Amino acid sequence: MTKPLNVLIVGTGMYVCGRGTGGLGTVLPTVAQAQRDGMVGEMLIAATSDASIAQLEEKATQLRERLDAPVQLHAHVVGANGTSYQDLVQMLRQPACAIVVVPDHLHAQIGLELIEANCPVLMVKPLTPTLAEAGQLVDALEERQLYGAVEFHKRFDEANLLLRQTIRDGRLGVLRYINVTFSQRRSIRDTFHAWIDQTNIFQYLGVHYADLIHFLTGALPQRVMATGQPRGVASVSQYDAIQATIEWYVPDTQHTFLSTIATHWIDPDMSSAMSDQKITVVGTEGRYESDQKRRGVQLVTQRNGIEEVNPYFNQIYAGAAGGMGIAGYGPKSIRQFLGDVCGLAAGTTDLATLQRHRPTFQQALVSSAVIDAVRQSVLQDECWIPVKVPQRDMSSMVGQGVAQ
Ligand SMILES: NC(=O)c1ccc[n+]([C@@H]2O[C@H](COP(=O)([O-])OP(=O)(O)OC[C@H]3O[C@@H](n4cnc5c(N)ncnc54)[C@H](O)[C@@H]3O)[C@@H](O)[C@H]2O)c1
């Protein structure tokens, strides 16, 4: 029996505990469940104010009832009495790790502080908005031989894993193009009002598919061109919509293909789900289409009208064997990280293995390079921006897909 893992969660917002929504988020229920199962020991949460802690406690109370579990956590205000991230890491017994769920522009700074405290990190996407910052995080990790991964949960969605296998088996032939459309309800902009000026719609949504295309095909981006439609103010963060064309090449075969990823956050609030997302992959021998919103489950109620429910992302329900729990590809990706950190501590896995099979910081250089280039293209009259992902441990990145 390995020692329980002690976890620091940085952030108390929507993705942690469902703040500002009727739900309970993804990170807190997943770690709480791992605590109930004995995999996790202490849970420490870094917040920015006493008011955030009060909101977190409210959600934690609801979660205790829903999971019928004690859910033990301690929340601290970072910066209060000079408390730093290093201090919080030092409060945790080993083995320990951190899950960072804060606005994108803080990922590099907080990630570096945690790495300097020798703490393995799971960053909720994107790794960083720029390639330069992503490189700094990778350098810091490699210097300490630490583990860092990004919570790219689409890699754990079975519809995408089947697509990857279909490509690997050559059933689509030589890849020609991939089309993605991904949008959210307009109310999402209110959720992020505190930091909306520090992100943009492609960085927020498009990054998921920039990573997924790399994961599916093993291809690397070589140039990017993006267009966008401003909403009054001509700042990229204020654009209603951004469409990117990315040219990829497959190192093993030197073949190239194109992807287009169109993103927006102006869906009407009465649309039947928060996210609308579809991917189509076309090759010389076939086509794979995946509607990632319409999973075949529709709920119609007098109160909320028609809702398209995704049963596979992050739902809390009683399992067939009884007992409430959170299930889906979101929790699965977080649980994978927790298990991997336990495995590293117990010596049952190693960094080289994880490097090949996980969304590590090194692999996330690809998605950070794409979002960085998309922003530059929009700012530079929508011109093509060449992309060169630094040759890190590229052995882990090539040859994992066999797109031709
Ligand atoms: N993977 C996904 O599907 C998904 C979904 C939503 C959000 N996200 C990502 O998660 C991150 C956070 O998003 P969110 O939806 O929870 O946002 P949010 O605005 O609801 O919450 C952000 C949280 O960060 C806290 N924070 C701000 N500065 C901090 C600091 N210096 N130290 C500690 N905490 C700080 C805020 O107080 C707040 O609790 C973003 O990077 C976002 O892109 C991912």
Side-chain angles (χ1 to χ4, degrees):
M1 178 77 184
T2 52
K3 284 190 199 165
L5 179 65
N6 302 298
V7 182
L8 168 66
I9 299 172
V10 182
T12 58
M14 180 180 86
Y15 202 58
V16 170
C17 62
R19 195 175 75 188
T21 74
L24 296 170
T26 302
V27 177
L28 185 64
T30 305
V31 179
Q33 189 161 312
Q35 190 182 55
R36 184 180 68 185
D37 300 346
M39 179 193 227
V40 163
E42 296 164 73
M43 196 192 325
L44 215 59
I45 305 201
T48 45
S49 66
D50 289 330
S52 315
I53 294 182
Q55 289 172 335
L56 169 78
E57 287 294 354
E58 228 171 82
K59 291 288 189 181
T61 303
Q62 292 170 23
L63 186 62
R64 286 182 189 104
E65 279 169 25
R66 189 86 175 130
L67 291 182
D68 193 18
V71 188
Q72 288 162 348
L73 57 87
H74 301 281
H76 293 263
V77 176
V78 208
N81 309 319
T83 312
S84 67
Y85 290 104
Q86 261 109 340
D87 296 332
L88 293 180
V89 172
Q90 272 157 20
M91 284 182 201
L92 290 173
R93 277 193 291 269
Q94 293 298 322
C97 69
I99 305 178
V100 179
V101 205
V102 298
D104 302 359
H105 60 284
L106 300 171
H107 289 189
Q109 178 208 321
I110 295 176
L112 275 175
E113 286 187 44
L114 292 165
I115 293 168
E116 278 162 14
N118 279 317
C119 186
V121 176
L122 178 68
M123 188 73 76
V124 173
K125 64 85 205 165
L127 176 55
T128 56
T130 67
L131 180 57
E133 290 168 311
Q136 281 172 6
L137 288 179
V138 170
D139 285 343
L141 270 189
E142 289 182 348
E143 206 175 290
R144 288 167 185 77
Q145 287 295 295
L146 264 185
Y147 182 49
V150 181
E151 201 269 295
F152 278 129
H153 50 241
K154 288 188 188 299
R155 291 187 179 205
F156 293 78
D157 178 345
E158 272 118 4
N160 294 331
L161 288 168
L162 184 60
L163 166 56
R164 185 176 188 235
Q165 194 59 46
T166 307
I167 294 170
R168 286 184 155 199
D169 290 345
R171 294 174 70 189
L172 301 184
V174 179
L175 290 192
R176 291 306 190 212
Y177 71 86
I178 297 178
N179 271 348
V180 172
T181 55
F182 193 1
S183 57
Q184 285 196 337
R185 289 179 185 151
R186 58 193 58 200
S187 55
I188 193 69
R189 293 183 301 202
D190 302 329
T191 309
F192 301 130
H193 65 90
W195 53 281
I196 194 143
D197 286 339
Q198 313 271 1
T199 184
N200 63 66
I201 180 54
F202 190 88
Q203 180 175 311
Y204 183 59
L205 293 184
V207 69
H208 275 295
Y209 283 92
D211 176 71
L212 188 69
I213 291 171
H214 169 61
F215 174 69
L216 293 172
T217 64
L220 295 169
Q222 58 183 10
R223 58 181 187 144
V224 166
M225 190 270 286
T227 51
Q229 293 76 41
R231 180 162 50 98
V233 198
S235 131
V236 179
S237 62
Q238 295 291 329
Y239 278 36
D240 280 337
I242 294 179
Q243 308 80 25
T245 302
I246 305 155
E247 188 177 78
W248 301 83
Y249 78 99
V250 185
D252 287 350
T253 63
Q254 297 297 313
H255 277 110
T256 59
F257 64 89
L258 278 191
S259 70
T260 54
I261 304 177
T263 55
H264 74 78
W265 42 17
I266 50 171
D267 264 337
D269 283 333
M270 60 286 278
S271 61
S272 59
M274 171 57 90
S275 294
D276 194 317
Q277 39 189 336
K278 296 179 192 70
I279 179 167
T280 303
V281 180
V282 174
T284 52
E285 300 296 323
R287 180 175 68 202
Y288 189 104
E289 287 183 12
S290 177
D291 189 325
Q292 311 215 312
K293 166 184 172 178
R294 297 211 166 94
R295 305 287 186 136
V297 179
Q298 194 182 71
L299 173 67
V300 191
T301 58
Q302 190 66 20
R303 174 187 283 214
N304 293 331
I306 299 173
E307 295 170 74
E308 304 275 350
V309 181
N310 179 354
Y312 311 114
F313 174 33
N314 64 345
Q315 302 285 346
I316 297 181
Y317 53 81
M324 292 292 280
I326 186 163
Y329 53 83
K332 219 183 247 180
S333 87
I334 297 169
R335 186 93 179 200
Q336 180 77 63
F337 171 77
L338 300 177
D340 288 338
V341 176
C342 291
L344 286 167
T348 54
T349 189
D350 56 43
L351 287 175
T353 306
L354 298 179
Q355 189 53 37
R356 280 195 297 280
H357 300 294
R358 301 286 185 269
T360 58
F361 280 16
Q362 285 85 347
Q363 291 203 19
L365 288 167
V366 170
S367 48
S368 282
V370 170
I371 58 176
D372 195 348
V374 165
R375 194 192 57 258
Q376 290 177 48
S377 178
V378 171
L379 287 172
Q380 293 173 34
D381 288 332
E382 304 173 347
C383 66
W384 282 98
I385 304 287
V387 177
K388 186 130 185 63
V389 179
Q391 299 282 312
R392 295 284 173 163
D393 182 7
M394 299 301 274
S395 58
S396 63
M397 304 170 83
V398 298
Q400 50 172 344
V402 289
Q404 297 162 41

